[in-house]
Amino acid sequence: MTNNEITVKVEHVTKTFGDFTAVQDLSMSVRAGRIFGLLGPNGAGKSTSIRMVVNITAPDSGTIELFGRKIDNQLQDRIGYLPEERGLYKSMKVVDQLRFFAALKNVKGKDADVRIDRWLARLKLSEWKQKKTRELSKGMQQKIQFISAVLHEPDLLILDEPFSGLDPVNVELLKDVVLELKHAGKTIIFSTHLMDIAEKICDDICLLNRSEKVLEGSIREVKSSFGRNSVALRIEGSNGTLASSTLISKVEHHSDEMEVLLVADADAQEFLQQLIASGARVTKFEMIEPSLNDIFIEKVSEAQ
Amino acid sequence: MTKLLAVVKREYTQRVFSRMFIVTTVLLPFAMALFGIAPALVMSIEAGNPLRIVVMDGTGKLFGRLQGSLRNENEKPSDEVTPGTKNNAIEKAREQSFILEEAPMQGRSESEINAELARRLSQKEIDAYLILPANLLQSGKAQLFRRNTSDLFSTRRIQSALDAAIREQRLMDAHVDSKTMSDLARPVDFETTRISGSSSERDSGGGFALVFVVGFVMYISVLLYGQVVLGAVIEEKETRIAEVLFSSVRPFTLMMGKLLGVSLVALTQLTIWGLAFGAFGLYGVSLLASKGIPAAIPTVSPVLYLYFVLFFLSGYFVYSTLYALVGSIVTTSQEGGQLAMPIIILLVISFYLFLPVSRNPDSTLSFWLSMIPFFSPVSMLVRIVTQTPPFWQIALSLLIGFSSAAGLTWVSARIYRIGMLMYGKRPTIPELMRWVRQS
């Protein structure tokens, strides 16, 4: 599904608690059928923003639209929500618990049971169906919670730190499920402060820091706008160009290669030609992309 | 609506099939029966051995009268005023007889006899001895020596028997003939009859028991189920389920579902108790009677059951909305327990008010108490049981009760929806007020 349909549209939203501003004038758009990463350090306002999108709390000012409509309680049924703080009834059986959460989303009876069995099997929890929640490990409980968020096949799935506390095997399992859901056309908002995972699965990101949006866009756009214009380079032969080129602002030598930082508007292609013309043998020439982590750290420390 | 039903259903099934429900359902009637019967049972156990008392009668006139007086008391027919299981058993306990023996004076001095009796007492030949000095009829002091002085019951009986003996002897000394004496001492014939509407029934003493039981069951049910609501709300907050739930249901729906679900659990339990009580009235009493244990259960009209349920619901919703409010603004159950203290105190007061109300059910105080929603469930029910007030008063009390419950639900719901998502610092009262006003 490639379209420019907007699933969630947040406009100029502000939320305060007493004299603490949790979210300041936030605007963002989540495109349909994509994975939208809501990133930011702890306390940046991610969870508060999500709560407003899910209609658990109302913004002080600004508007939130879902599927082209102003948010209301009916629309809640089209959202699946996995909050950061997990919560399950400890003394309820897994199956009863899932039936209850399904019923709260108007999925009942046989339909609910079929879906529960399918999801328990998918997340390898079938044998735990009749067990009480308290007997399950933390990771298993988390997967149960995830199931409760997707049982009603929501069009919009909101996952707040879905991978925290999971072992690598389960992280992979859940990541696959999330990508499957994306391919099935669901829109996914994914909140985390773990940049490596965000980098792997997000299409678009929005970075929050200290209650405000710092940047927004597709991962591609964000990265290229952050291109520090540096090249990982390994050459044999002439080093003369490196010393003389006006395109270079700085050279850092690593063990067997070097990182060359070009001047602001320099064209890397031109630099490569210079190198070849000088007779050097280029064995590695790679444009270095900043990692999401670099961008995150730079943006966050910039603000401090 | 379907979501509300889902919440109600979960709340109901999770609780009715829980161990706690089964235990309290069985235990409470059992505990109440125990409280009712135990004192009588315990006393009847003690009644086994008669008390052996030696009397040194310095006056030479009192021993016979004392013996007669103690025996007389055992057979006193006027004690029939209050039968019923408990009292009958107590009567039996009273039949604990005394074996009286007169210490021969044989010219010995008082202190000689005293010493000899003290020896016999310490060797457990006797249980007590009573010294009546020669001048007792004029001014002296009688002394009772016992190994066990904590048995006030027997001590008091000996004292009153001695009182009676001395009174008779003094009258005799004043030349009052025995006919006049027995006329003077004849107890009054007393009978209580309860008039309600057209019918009148002789109060068998079960009346007070009924008032107590009704008041107590009402109090304990409201308390118990209020605590259940408190626990349920805190559980959802403590485990952070509230946030997940709020992404599916409105806070008001969740709170109402909880209150309704728990109220159905309570009604289930009360129905079981009601049926058990009814069955006991039908079969248990006759069964006990056939085994020689007279038990009287006051007749309870079906209307009373209906009123009980209505006033229970009114009280339950008034108190449990407060419990829900408290549950939503605290973070741990310990904190909840502390903050719920004022509610519990209010409930305890409402229970103890059954005393003044049952003593004077038609007073202005009783009227106003039965109109205040926090007190009306116990007060009005006690009034209905003792001296049924006009119907308009009952209706008005219910109307006030349910309207207050609705108002409190509204206020609590507004605090609940915010409180359930707030952790850490407990909100102050001005903050709570702001939450209520906030749209």
Side-chain angles (χ1 to χ4, degrees), chain B residues 116 190 397:
Chain B
E116 189 217 324
F190 200 77
S397 169

Side-chain angles (χ1 to χ4, degrees), chain A residues 4-266:
Chain A
N4 286 322
E5 209 179 297
I6 303 293
T7 304
V8 183
K9 195 179 177 96
V10 174
E11 283 185 313
H12 303 293
V13 161
T14 295
K15 178 76 184 176
T16 56
F17 297 104
D19 41 12
F20 170 71
T21 304
V23 175
Q24 175 73 50
D25 193 32
L26 174 68
S27 297
M28 61 182 193
S29 301
V30 179
R31 285 187 278 172
R34 294 172 73 97
I35 299 182
F36 182 91
L38 191 58
L39 315 177
N42 298 320
K46 300 187 299 278
S47 293
T48 307
S49 307
I50 285 176
R51 280 181 179 183
M52 289 189 284
V53 171
V54 188
N55 201 21
I56 290 175
T57 47
D60 297 337
S61 62
T63 57
I64 295 173
E65 275 182 17
L66 253 66
F67 310 107
R69 255 166 70 188
K70 198 170 175 314
I71 177 80
D72 61 31
N73 286 95
Q74 241 106 57
L75 286 177
Q76 274 192 332
D77 285 357
R78 295 177 65 185
I79 309 175
Y81 176 41
L82 179 74
E84 183 177 8
E85 301 280 359
R86 318 281 187 258
L88 293 170
Y89 293 101
K90 296 271 176 279
S91 51
M92 254 179 124
K93 278 190 205 159
V94 167
V95 58
D96 291 339
Q97 188 126 233
L98 290 174
R99 277 191 191 131
F100 173 62
F101 283 120
L104 289 185
K105 294 290 193 185
N106 287 323
V107 179
K108 280 174 289 188
K110 204 159 167 47
D111 192 15
D113 287 346
V114 169
R115 294 187 196 190
I116 289 169
D117 286 340
R118 201 179 62 218
W119 274 107
L120 286 175
R122 178 74 180 87
L123 293 183
K124 303 188 168 55
L125 287 168
S126 295
E127 72 224 74
W128 298 91
K129 187 178 169 185
Q130 298 295 338
K131 293 275 193 285
K132 289 197 171 168
T133 309
R134 68 168 92 255
E135 299 171 40
L136 272 59
S137 74
K138 200 162 168 273
M140 292 181 199
Q141 292 190 22
Q142 187 147 329
K143 290 196 281 179
I144 298 293
Q145 188 100 52
F146 180 85
I147 295 176
S148 77
V150 294
L151 266 181
H152 58 293
E153 297 176 355
D155 298 316
L156 172 63
L157 182 60
I158 301 181
L159 307 171
D160 201 346
E161 299 287 0
F163 303 123
S164 71
L166 287 181
D167 61 55
V169 176
N170 278 315
V171 168
E172 282 308 309
L173 180 63
L174 216 57
K175 214 170 74 185
D176 289 347
V177 172
V178 170
L179 290 172
E180 263 169 43
L181 289 168
K182 179 196 156 186
H183 292 307
K186 313 291 184 195
T187 307
I188 296 157
I189 296 181
F190 172 57
S191 160
T192 186
H193 61 267
L194 301 174
M195 295 304 140
D196 49 338
I197 295 180
E199 185 153 13
K200 280 181 204 149
I201 67 172
C202 291
D203 301 309
D204 304 305
I205 58 160
C206 172
L207 180 60
L208 297 185
N209 188 39
R210 298 183 161 199
S211 322
E212 288 184 60
K213 181 171 84 179
V214 183
L215 60 86
E216 185 188 7
S218 74
I219 285 227
R220 286 282 115 244
E221 289 160 20
V222 168
K223 282 193 169 179
S224 59
S225 76
F226 258 79
R228 285 182 305 173
N229 220 5
S230 61
V231 175
L233 185 66
R234 202 185 298 134
I235 50 171
E236 288 160 18
S238 163
N239 271 351
T241 320
L242 289 179
S244 65
S245 175
T246 51
L247 298 171
I248 296 171
S249 73
K250 195 179 162 203
V251 178
E252 274 175 35
H253 292 274
H254 299 302
S255 54
D256 67 335
E257 62 177 55
M258 57 194 100
E259 189 179 339
V260 179
L261 197 63
L262 302 179
V263 294
D265 51 356

Side-chain angles (χ1 to χ4, degrees), chain B residues 36-68:
Chain B
I37 296 168
L41 282 180
V42 172
M43 287 203 192
S44 64
I45 292 165
E46 275 186 355
N49 289 322
L51 209 60
R52 295 159 299 175
I53 307 174
V54 179
V55 181
M56 190 215 79
D57 183 7
T59 63
K61 293 172 182 170
L62 286 172
F63 181 77
R65 286 196 190 283
L66 182 62
Q67 201 165 27

Side-chain angles (χ1 to χ4, degrees), chain B residues 2 20 75 106 135 145 157 178 194 205 213 238 254 267 269 324 340 381:
Chain B
T2 49
M20 182 226 172
E75 293 154 8
Q106 291 166 342
N135 61 350
F145 299 88
R157 284 186 55 205
S178 59
R194 177 175 181 264
V213 169
E238 224 175 359
L254 182 63
L267 289 182
Q269 189 161 57
L381 218 61

Side-chain angles (χ1 to χ4, degrees), chain B residues 129-149:
Chain B
Y129 66 93
L130 183 64
I131 304 290
L132 306 177
N135 61 350
L136 183 64
L137 283 168
Q138 292 78 41
S139 58
K141 189 161 85 177
Q143 279 178 294
L144 180 70
F145 299 88
R146 295 189 63 176
R147 268 198 310 276
N148 165 19
T149 50

